[in-house]
Amino acid sequence: MSAKIIDGNAVAEEIKKQVAADAGELAAAGKKPHLTAVQVGENPASKIYTNMQAKACESVGIEYELLNLPAEISQDDLLKKIAELNASPETTGVILQMPLPAQIDARKVQVAISPAKDVEGMHAENMGRLFYGGGIVAPCTPMAAVELLKRTRPDLAGTETVVVGHSEIVGKPIAMILLQSLNESPTVTLCHIATKDLSAHTRRADVLIVATGVSQARWSAYRRRKKVGEDVKPPDLTPLISADMIKPGAIVIDVAINRIPKGFDENGEPVKNDKGKNAMQTVGDVDFEAASQIAGAITPVPGGVGPVTVAMLLANTVACAKATA
Ligand code: NAD
């Protein structure tokens, strides 16, 4: 059997079309969605994100503003800035760029953002609403994973749905979103690092959602140890989920993004590309090629959950603007 490949880029485009229409309506009513990104200090990785955010916002008619704050800003001054944005009639959404410098407690700043302008859906109040249902926004990646799933199989009632990974930003909110319906929720099992016999759970899953980043974590740990001069063997970067852990015909949503080497040479060094740098690849937690022969449908990495996550950020931005209009 060859699985249907769930096209995240196509779904993202559909969502963005709707977001653009909603943003246009809001603008016509004099309430243009305006996302302010707060960046503390300079960071090349964040620059990639903010450029991408600016482009994505522009493509759907959301105003985007990048607020660059000095790296040495104090926690109090940063909180004051957030309070100003919360009170601003122009800013309808706020996003805090990570990482933040060591003197800043990221969680304290995150919860200082007004829940009504929390476009990432990470505020404790918005997370709490996930528990009760009826919130305006939810965390973008969990929303993206569930959206791809529902577009693949709208009727989830009665299915065994196994989520691997129980972080606050991915695994737990996915379970909460899936459990919101009174009568139509799947039966959700949440697995994590302390789960005994993971494959016993995954093998009975009609729907398998995986979000661990195990390979990335192993590669990062290996690099840290090498850096301090330890004599370490190359890590085992075999995907966490092999084909034999998947029930035939299952829907597989791979949330993970692992940026890892393509392999290691006989000396245990990462194989090089033609520029002499480590040859890297972006993969998920699932052995995609082999799993595609077993699963009924599967998301690729890249091109699955990632692009839909960006679309969900835009959808949340418009939802916040609507709610504060
Ligand atoms: P995290 O490190 O906070 O959590 C990892 C989770 O994996 C934990 O719940 C842990 O218990 C579980 N885990 C670790 N090893 C395990 C094992 N051997 N067996 C079973 N469970 C195990 O990570 P996170 O922030 O939740 O992110 C998870 C993955 O999702 C990462 O790869 C990350 O890059 C990716 N991610 C993707 C997007 C996107 O837009 N597609 C957004 C956010 C995160």
Side-chain angles (χ1 to χ4, degrees):
M1 182 163 67
S2 199
K4 171 186 181 243
I5 308 300
I6 303 169
D7 184 348
N9 287 309
V11 171
E13 282 315 309
E14 279 179 35
I15 295 169
K16 280 184 184 168
K17 258 189 212 151
Q18 184 58 51
V19 171
D22 292 348
E25 267 180 35
L26 280 168
K31 187 78 193 176
K32 194 158 191 169
H34 181 110
L35 178 60
T36 302
V38 179
Q39 159 102 54
V40 182
E42 287 292 324
N43 184 307
S46 307
K47 206 168 179 129
I48 297 173
Y49 281 119
T50 51
N51 285 344
M52 188 195 69
Q53 286 165 5
K55 239 170 98 182
C57 284
E58 194 193 344
S59 74
V60 294
I62 294 172
E63 283 175 357
Y64 184 81
E65 177 192 5
L66 179 60
L67 189 62
N68 270 307
L69 298 173
E72 58 283 358
I73 193 169
S74 69
Q75 169 105 352
D76 280 354
D77 284 348
L78 180 54
L79 289 173
K80 271 185 208 143
K81 254 303 160 226
I82 298 289
E84 277 170 29
L85 295 173
N86 286 343
S88 155
E90 191 186 27
T91 291
T92 59
V94 178
I95 185 167
L96 189 61
Q97 302 298 329
M98 299 292 169
L100 291 167
Q103 77 273 17
I104 306 289
D105 179 341
R107 206 163 263 224
K108 274 202 180 132
V109 183
Q110 196 83 55
V111 297
I113 296 172
S114 160
K117 297 189 179 185
D118 168 37
V119 295
E120 290 188 283
M122 299 289 296
H123 192 284
E125 192 174 315
N126 288 322
M127 287 285 207
R129 284 190 178 139
L130 270 190
F131 201 92
Y132 292 104
I136 298 161
V137 291
C140 304
T141 301
M143 276 172 77
V146 174
E147 181 70 22
L148 287 171
L149 172 58
K150 289 208 164 150
R151 283 176 186 239
T152 308
R153 178 167 178 172
D155 172 20
L156 292 171
T159 63
E160 292 293 331
T161 294
V162 172
V163 182
V164 185
H166 74 330
S167 72
E168 283 75 22
I169 64 162
V170 188
K172 283 181 195 162
I174 286 177
M176 281 302 141
I177 296 172
L178 287 172
L179 291 172
Q180 280 193 352
S181 164
L182 216 52
N183 300 314
E184 289 157 23
S185 291
T187 301
V188 180
T189 303
L190 206 49
C191 298
H192 47 77
I193 193 158
T195 298
K196 281 187 189 142
D197 200 356
L198 181 62
S199 49
H201 295 282
T202 61
R203 276 193 196 118
R204 57 172 188 75
D206 304 306
V207 172
L208 178 62
I209 305 178
V210 195
T212 75
V214 165
S215 305
Q216 178 78 59
R218 286 188 186 151
W219 167 238
S220 301
Y222 166 80
R223 281 180 54 192
R224 278 196 300 275
R225 293 180 65 186
K226 277 283 258 198
K227 219 173 169 180
V228 294
E230 276 186 52
D231 183 20
V232 275
K233 285 205 182 101
D236 175 10
L237 299 180
T238 314
L240 179 70
I241 306 295
S242 52
D244 65 350
M245 294 169 76
I246 294 170
K247 179 175 174 177
I251 300 172
V252 179
I253 309 286
D254 193 348
V255 181
I257 304 172
N258 298 294
R259 186 83 186 139
I260 55 169
K262 285 187 170 165
F264 294 90
D265 64 20
E266 62 281 5
N267 300 318
E269 293 298 323
V271 290
K272 305 291 177 210
N273 60 22
D274 48 13
K275 289 184 185 130
K277 296 208 163 133
N278 292 347
M280 303 295 282
Q281 58 180 342
T282 303
V283 292
D285 282 335
V286 179
D287 182 349
F288 180 78
E289 293 305 329
S292 302
Q293 303 307 311
I294 301 283
I298 186 167
T299 57
V301 180
V305 177
V308 183
T309 295
V310 178
M312 287 304 179
L313 175 73
L314 302 174
N316 274 349
T317 303
V318 164
C320 285
K322 235 184 222 174
T324 52

